[in-house]
Amino acid sequence: MVYFEDYLVACLGELYLVRLHRRSTAIEVQPVSVTKRGSNNSEWVYVHDIDGCVIFLDLNEGFCASRSASELSLVGDCIYYVNIGETCFFCYDMKTDCTQANLPCHHVREGSWSRSMWVLPPL
């Protein structure tokens, strides 16, 4: 069985819906899809970029935020998130449609994270 987790994110005056696809038998997030509110506000349109921005998701708390990638010296059009119970964060690249796991530091022990925390500069 597959279920979805949806996150509404405002970015550069646009409204995006980030959908994480999960399988009921696995904790890992499977595919990620991103839609943007259409110009007539009645439909959602699939997109493959977010105008060079990045999106941060907290799957535990339902928190989400967006920033300019250049402001943070990151690659644009990426979505960062931490799976529940994981000791690494994931980066979904919208342009390549690939997800990569990243370990933030070598001394993090398995299960030592209880939640993700994104530290971002103020808007």
Side-chain angles (χ1 to χ4, degrees):
M1 175 181 211
V2 176
Y3 67 98
F4 308 104
E5 289 186 20
D6 293 336
Y7 297 85
L8 286 174
V9 185
C11 182
L12 298 177
E14 301 284 353
L15 186 60
Y16 292 90
L17 175 69
V18 178
R19 175 168 279 179
L20 305 176
H21 305 244
R22 292 181 175 263
R23 296 188 192 282
S24 61
T25 58
I27 292 176
E28 298 100 26
V29 171
Q30 305 300 324
V32 177
S33 61
V34 182
T35 54
K36 179 169 83 169
R37 188 70 162 185
S39 58
N40 61 5
N41 285 334
S42 65
E43 62 184 29
W44 292 91
V45 179
Y46 283 95
V47 294
H48 300 285
D49 69 76
I50 46 178
D51 295 325
C53 289
V54 291
I55 291 176
F56 298 92
L57 303 177
D58 182 333
L59 305 188
N60 293 311
E61 301 294 327
F63 165 83
C64 51
S66 66
R67 292 291 193 276
S68 164
S70 61
E71 170 188 350
L72 302 174
S73 299
L74 295 172
V75 174
D77 303 314
C78 290
I79 298 170
Y80 294 88
Y81 61 92
V82 176
N83 276 326
I84 297 167
E86 293 280 349
T87 58
C88 61
F89 68 91
F90 295 85
C91 175
Y92 169 69
D93 187 325
M94 295 177 68
K95 291 184 178 183
T96 63
D97 195 32
C98 293
T99 301
Q100 179 180 6
N102 299 281
L103 188 61
C105 52
H106 68 281
H107 62 275
V108 174
R109 293 185 324 271
E110 178 98 16
S112 63
W113 287 9
S114 61
R115 62 178 4 134
S116 59
M117 181 175 69
W118 302 110
V119 179
L120 302 172
L123 289 174

